[in-house]
Amino acid sequence: MVKNIASYLVIALTICILLHISFSSSKAVDFSRYSTEGLVLNYTVKPDVSIRDNAKTSNDGYESFSPYLGKSFVGFKEALAFKESGGNYATINTYGYLGKYQFGKETLRLIGVRDINKFLNTPKLQEKAFIANAQRNKWILRRDINNFVGKRINGILVTESGILAAAHLAGAGSVKKYLRSYGLDNFADGYGTTVAYYMKRFSGYDTSFLKANKKAKVNSI
């Protein structure tokens, strides 16, 4: 009999404790009492200073980079554009390279673009220029793509997208020299960015969309 009474008391006490905890935890927290005022907030994501430091002019309304495009072709061109200009169609860097993808005037002439003002103010034209230039580079580098893709140079896996990105940076000729010297001839642009760096940074994207075309030009808009 005594044992039964003791058991009931323990159960009753347990229920009381659980009810007390339940009602206590349901009390609303007043977040107005908390503030970040006066705190130094540290962020772990570092800006790529080479993007903005290179720019003389910009127009933030044209920025168009998304980190969720993966290794698709759109992901490739947007990642490259973000590195070149922050994705800004109106950018002109300190060396006079133009637009979202930072084209030189001579390269633009080769693919049929002569009106620089129109180029800077026409996003659709810049996108077409990127495609045409990449197709032309793919044709120029077609043998090197066949011979080197899948190999490693200076520890970097050679991929088609890496080759095309490096050609965009330094020109197809510089990429040929890099590959055929097995990395000894590693061109760097005015800001110190090398062929090897672009080969690594833009490795593994799907660039099968691009068709090699010796005579690739920008159609008029």
Side-chain angles (χ1 to χ4, degrees):
M1 180 67 178
V2 174
K3 290 183 179 180
N4 289 337
I5 294 172
S7 299
Y8 293 140
L9 288 174
V10 170
I11 293 171
L13 181 60
T14 302
I15 293 172
C16 289
I17 292 171
L18 291 174
L19 289 172
H20 175 73
I21 293 172
S22 175
F23 285 117
S24 297
S25 62
S26 64
K27 184 179 179 181
V29 178
D30 183 7
F31 289 102
S32 66
R33 296 167 54 196
Y34 300 92
S35 172
T36 58
E37 184 177 359
L39 296 178
V40 177
L41 302 179
N42 295 316
Y43 297 94
T44 59
V45 180
K46 295 181 180 179
D48 191 338
V49 294
S50 64
I51 296 171
R52 293 300 180 188
D53 287 351
N54 297 349
K56 289 172 63 179
T57 63
S58 66
N59 184 334
D60 291 340
Y62 285 132
E63 291 180 1
S64 59
F65 173 72
S66 169
Y68 304 109
L69 298 171
K71 290 293 187 176
S72 66
F73 174 71
V74 175
F76 169 70
K77 73 182 187 68
E78 293 303 322
L80 184 57
F82 192 74
K83 176 65 179 72
E84 290 287 330
S85 71
N88 192 318
Y89 288 104
T91 296
I92 306 173
N93 79 0
T94 51
Y95 289 95
Y97 286 83
L98 306 160
K100 178 179 176 180
Y101 300 100
Q102 293 292 275
F103 278 100
K105 293 179 181 178
E106 182 60 33
T107 299
L108 289 175
R109 281 194 288 270
L110 285 173
I111 57 176
V113 177
R114 298 185 180 277
D115 188 333
I116 299 304
N117 288 329
K118 182 179 180 180
F119 176 78
L120 281 173
N121 289 285
T122 312
K124 188 175 181 180
L125 182 59
Q126 293 191 33
E127 297 297 336
K128 287 190 172 185
F130 178 80
I131 299 296
N133 188 55
Q135 288 177 322
R136 183 174 173 275
N137 284 334
K138 190 168 182 177
W139 185 87
I140 295 171
L141 292 162
R142 64 196 185 282
R143 292 190 180 90
D144 298 276
I145 290 171
N146 289 333
N147 293 334
F148 288 98
V149 165
K151 296 181 179 179
R152 288 187 179 273
I153 296 179
N154 292 332
I156 300 169
L157 179 65
V158 178
T159 66
E160 182 178 286
S161 62
I163 288 174
L164 294 177
H168 184 85
L169 170 76
S174 294
V175 176
K176 280 188 178 184
K177 291 178 182 178
Y178 173 81
L179 294 171
R180 295 178 187 186
S181 70
Y182 283 87
L184 294 177
D185 193 335
N186 188 15
F187 171 90
D189 71 1
Y191 300 109
T193 306
T194 65
V195 167
Y197 176 74
Y198 262 42
M199 292 276 286
K200 181 177 181 180
R201 178 158 183 167
F202 298 104
S203 173
Y205 286 88
D206 181 5
T207 52
S208 60
F209 167 82
L210 295 167
K211 306 303 179 186
N213 184 356
K214 180 182 180 180
K215 299 179 179 180
K217 298 281 186 181
V218 175
N219 297 324
S220 59
I221 294 178

